[in-house]
Amino acid sequence: KRVAVKSDGLENWLSRRAQRAGFHVTQLAGIQPGYVYVNKGEPLRYRSAQYDGILEITDHADFGDALIRGIGPAKSFGFGLLSVAPVQ
């Protein structure tokens, strides 16, 4: 059974996932917690969070895999996916 991460645990969740995904967060500019509503026969509500900040790649192979596969559960709903851009 999946259990939602509480708002005060979101930064720790990202740190744990980052370690396995070949990066670490050097600057966390913000976390926007929220919900995504899905209607698949019955209405469902999923806890979501958007992280904004700067990360540093520590393992290119693991990071490449995480970029393709995502870092969290419920990827079929778009959760745990990474959207990255070079730092300007």
Side-chain angles (χ1 to χ4, degrees), residues 37-75:
Y37 297 90
V38 178
N39 192 356
K40 292 214 169 207
E42 64 179 79
L44 300 171
R45 181 176 81 164
Y46 292 99
R47 182 89 161 120
S48 67
Q50 177 179 319
Y51 297 89
D52 293 309
I54 298 174
L55 61 82
E56 181 178 334
I57 298 170
T58 56
D59 184 303
H60 289 275
D62 286 346
F63 183 74
D65 188 53
L67 196 57
I68 292 168
R69 295 187 186 346
I71 62 169
K75 289 179 274 299

Side-chain angles (χ1 to χ4, degrees), residues 13-52:
W13 182 90
L14 180 62
S15 293
R16 287 191 313 274
R17 298 292 171 139
Q19 201 170 35
R20 289 180 267 173
F23 70 92
H24 76 272
V25 179
T26 60
Q27 179 183 344
L28 188 57
I31 303 172
Q32 296 175 348
Y35 293 96
V36 172
Y37 297 90
V38 178
N39 192 356
K40 292 214 169 207
E42 64 179 79
L44 300 171
R45 181 176 81 164
Y46 292 99
R47 182 89 161 120
S48 67
Q50 177 179 319
Y51 297 89
D52 293 309

